[in-house]
Amino acid sequence: MTSGGSGRSSDARARAARTKRARTRRALLDAAEANFGARGWNRTRMEDIAATAGVSPATAYNHFPSKHALIGHVYAPLVHSLVQQAEQDRRAGRPVHDALRDQIKALTRTSWRYRGLTAAFWYAIQDYVGTRVGGPPDPADLGDPRTLAPVPDTILGLLQDGQAAGELRPYPPALEISGMIVNLLLIRAVNRPHEPPEQTAELLLTVLFGTLKPELLCAATADERPFASDH
């Protein structure tokens, strides 16, 4: 009887500890989103986030080893929801051109809706690449915000499918062009905050299909903008 009671007490304490840890983690993520979105990357410290969450800085670092990792975890859900939609389109066999159009528009709307957070995420990437690593992200590096929130993955699989099927030109390869399009998106989100997202989406689609499916543009008249009507 004593042994059984002790085991139940131990299980209860373990559950309580997991619940407390989950709540603290959620509080830190919410606090980080609020701080990064309002104050930006450089003006937000881990100490500020910890204070907003009502925990000590040591507790914040126990959950997230760096500010770079924290913003990656904050931005990740925005990316994952779009990746899931792309995967659904791929499984359903949806025409790749239609799926890419919708993904680019959705990605642009998301970046604009969370513009402050997007800007902080972009500056975090520049800071991480410039001071800690060089070159593309390492999938094993869970401190890299690009690994935690892989924005190019929102269109990467669709591009790979289109190139494999011969519907899109094979060069530049999907990995390269997806990164180029996302970089252009993030730069414009930071540098052109008052530009309508529909305008950026049209530009991105024109660049993407002008590179991989130029006949779509060649078939248009000189003053026609084939992706403007997609808004």
Side-chain angles (χ1 to χ4, degrees):
M1 294 292 293
T2 303
S3 177
S6 176
R8 285 192 295 272
S9 297
S10 178
D11 290 343
R13 286 194 297 270
R15 286 195 300 271
R18 289 194 297 269
T19 299
K20 181 180 179 181
R21 183 171 179 81
R23 287 175 178 170
T24 300
R25 180 182 177 87
R26 182 70 262 166
L28 285 166
L29 289 170
D30 291 343
E33 180 175 347
N35 277 273
F36 285 132
R39 304 175 62 175
W41 171 254
N42 289 325
R43 293 175 57 210
T44 298
R45 305 173 304 157
M46 286 290 279
E47 290 78 5
D48 301 322
I49 295 168
T52 302
V55 301
S56 69
T59 297
Y61 279 110
N62 184 47
H63 284 263
F64 301 98
S66 69
K67 199 167 73 162
H68 299 93
L70 182 50
I71 197 169
H73 281 284
V74 169
Y75 210 77
L78 305 181
V79 176
H80 292 164
S81 62
L82 294 173
V83 172
Q84 289 174 355
Q85 180 59 57
E87 291 303 315
Q88 290 178 11
D89 288 342
R90 295 176 71 190
R91 289 193 297 270
R94 190 176 180 210
V96 68
H97 303 138
D98 295 340
L100 280 169
R101 286 186 180 100
D102 285 351
Q103 275 293 99
I104 292 293
K105 290 189 290 182
L107 181 58
T108 306
R109 286 194 302 267
T110 297
S111 299
W112 257 245
R113 180 181 179 186
Y114 300 94
R115 189 178 297 121
L117 194 59
T118 297
F121 178 70
W122 169 250
Y123 283 118
I125 291 174
Q126 305 313 302
D127 184 61
Y128 194 83
V129 172
T131 61
R132 302 198 181 192
V133 300
D138 178 357
D141 183 1
L142 298 182
D144 190 335
R146 298 173 299 171
T147 300
L148 296 166
V151 185
D153 284 4
T154 59
I155 58 174
L156 177 60
L158 293 167
L159 290 170
Q160 290 172 330
D161 290 350
Q163 290 183 325
E167 298 178 50
L168 301 174
R169 292 193 176 192
Y171 188 84
L175 187 62
E176 295 290 337
I177 191 69
S178 62
M180 292 166 59
I181 292 297
V182 165
N183 282 340
L184 179 57
L185 167 68
L186 294 177
I187 289 171
R188 293 182 79 85
V190 172
N191 294 335
R192 303 197 177 201
H194 303 298
E195 180 177 87
E198 296 82 6
Q199 187 173 331
T200 291
E202 180 189 357
L203 175 66
L204 296 176
L205 287 166
T206 301
V207 172
L208 179 65
F209 286 112
T211 303
L212 299 181
K213 193 80 171 178
E215 54 267 34
L216 292 178
L217 300 180
C218 293
T221 60
D223 59 349
E224 185 180 1
R225 293 159 57 177
F227 301 108
S229 61
D230 287 345
H231 305 155

